[in-house]
Each structure stands twice: as structure tokens, then as C-alpha cells.
């Protein structure tokens, strides 16, 4: 069955795209959740009328993604984590951890946009890809550090600032 997407849907495409999907998937998931409509003459006419506004929306989203990419590329993210004696992390750095760290720097992204092969479970520097829009991707460097060592560095920085002021 062919459907017209009413919203961006990661696994299928973007708003206004025509996709071929299984009948049950369309009837039981996409259509009830108002993600897509069945491709027919009436819906195609509606799509044709909306095409100009869709192009403007896409151009605006792409421009916003390019601006966000410029902000992200300049940022390095340090994530302090608790570390066991053997050097392994207690827990792991996930997509949500990265999103939360970026929110602290006033950058708002969705955790689905952060692409990692697997969660980070050790100290070090890692490259993580963030998909901002259809053809706009940004790579950021994530530095995972020992929480205790990070706390010591903060204290040293504060002491240095205090001594400079005096």
C-alpha cells in the first residue's frame, strides 16, 4: 500500500513523501497515529496544493539545522562518570546522557538524532554523529572523564581564579 506521510518519520521519510509500506503497518500503526494517509486522488490533490508550503518548511528546517550544526561543531562535551578500579564505568554514556549534556550548553536536540553504535563504557574521547536534518549531520567530540578527577580540576580552576583576583 502506498501512503503519504503527514509528519516526518525517521524510518520512512519526511512530510509529504510517498512511501510503500505493508497494508497492516499502514492500517494498524501509521494511519491511526495520524502519521500518514492512504495515497488516493483526493490526498494527492491536497499534497499538490501543500507542496509550496512544504518546500518552505523544508528549507526553513534545513537552515535551522545548518545553524545548529555551526553551534555544535564548536562545542566539546565533557561527561564526568563514576569509574571502577579497573577503569570501567559504572553504567554507560547513552544518547540521553549526551542530550542532557548538550542541554546544559543550551543546545536542544532529540535523543533519536544521536547516532551511536553502542553505549560508551570506558574513559576517553569519542566521536559521535548527530543527525540534525535529512542531509545535515554534525560530529561532536565527547570526552568521558573520571568524576573524581573532574571534581579536582574544578577545584583547581576555582583556586586559580581566586588567586588571580587577589
Amino acid at each position: 500500500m502506498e501512503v503519504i506521510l503527514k509528519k516526518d518519520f525517521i524510518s520512512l521519510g519526511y512530510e509529504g513523501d510517498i512511501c510503500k509500506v505493508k497494508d497492516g503497518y499502514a492500517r494498524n500503526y501509521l494511519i491511526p497515529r495520524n502519521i500518514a494517509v492512504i495515497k488516493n486522488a483526493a490526498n494527492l490533490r491536497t499534497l499538490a496544493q501543500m507542496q509550496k508550503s512544504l518546500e518552505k518548511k523544508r528549507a526553513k528546517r534545513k537552515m535551522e539545522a545548518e545553524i545548529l550544526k555551526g553551534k555544535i561543531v564548536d562545542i566539546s562535551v565533557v561527561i564526568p562518570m563514576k569509574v571502577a578500579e579497573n577503569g570501567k564505568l559504572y553504567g554507560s554514556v547513552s544518547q540521553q546522557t549526551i542530550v542532557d549534556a548538550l542541554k546544559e550548553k543550551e543546545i536542544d536536540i532529540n535523543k533519536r538524532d544521536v547516532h551511536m553504535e553502542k553505549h560508551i563504557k570506558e574513559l576517553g574521547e569519542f566521536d559521535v554523529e548527530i543527525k540534525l536534518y535529512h542531509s545535515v549531520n554534525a560530529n561532536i567530540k565527547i570526552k568521558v572523564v573520571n568524576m573524581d578527577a573532574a571534581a579536582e580540576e574544578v577545584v583547581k580552576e576555582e583556586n586559580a581564579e581566586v588567586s588571580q583576583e587577589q
Side-chain angles (χ1 to χ4, degrees):
M1 171 182 291
E2 289 188 316
V3 295
I4 301 170
L5 294 178
K6 292 174 75 176
K7 301 177 183 176
D8 292 350
F9 198 71
I10 293 171
S11 61
L12 294 176
Y14 296 94
E15 183 179 4
D17 289 351
I18 297 173
C19 303
K20 188 168 186 145
V21 296
K22 302 248 179 184
D23 292 355
Y25 185 54
R27 279 195 217 101
N28 297 324
Y29 187 79
L30 297 174
I31 295 171
R33 286 175 174 76
N34 206 22
I35 297 169
V37 293
I38 296 173
K39 178 185 166 191
N40 59 27
N43 290 335
L44 284 174
R45 281 192 299 274
T46 305
L47 177 64
Q49 292 171 353
M50 293 176 34
Q51 208 62 277
K52 286 184 182 179
S53 66
L54 284 176
E55 289 300 322
K56 287 180 185 177
K57 252 191 212 180
R58 288 178 183 160
K60 182 180 177 186
R61 284 188 200 157
K62 187 171 183 173
M63 184 180 70
E64 289 172 352
E66 291 288 348
I67 292 169
L68 189 57
K69 179 181 178 179
K71 288 181 183 178
I72 289 176
V73 171
D74 295 337
I75 290 180
S76 62
V77 179
V78 177
I79 300 177
M81 296 289 290
K82 289 185 179 180
V83 180
E85 292 175 11
N86 61 1
K88 299 250 180 182
L89 299 180
Y90 288 116
S92 64
V93 177
S94 65
Q95 288 94 337
Q96 187 62 49
T97 310
I98 294 170
V99 168
D100 293 340
L102 287 171
K103 276 187 183 173
E104 289 176 7
K105 297 185 181 259
E106 298 178 3
I107 294 177
D108 189 27
I109 60 170
N110 190 332
K111 80 176 190 177
R112 292 180 183 161
D113 297 338
V114 178
H115 295 279
M116 300 169 55
E117 290 181 26
K118 55 186 177 181
H119 291 187
I120 300 170
K121 297 183 180 184
E122 57 193 36
L123 297 175
E125 285 191 26
F126 303 91
D127 287 327
V128 176
E129 181 182 15
I130 299 177
K131 186 172 185 176
L132 301 171
Y133 191 65
H134 184 54
S135 60
V136 181
N137 297 329
N139 288 324
I140 61 170
K141 290 214 181 280
I142 304 293
K143 186 174 183 180
V144 181
V145 297
N146 188 339
M147 184 178 279
D148 297 331
E152 290 173 13
E153 286 181 31
V154 169
V155 170
K156 287 179 185 176
E157 288 176 9
E158 288 176 359
N159 290 340
E161 288 177 6
V162 169
S163 63
Q164 287 177 354
E165 289 175 2
Q166 295 174 350

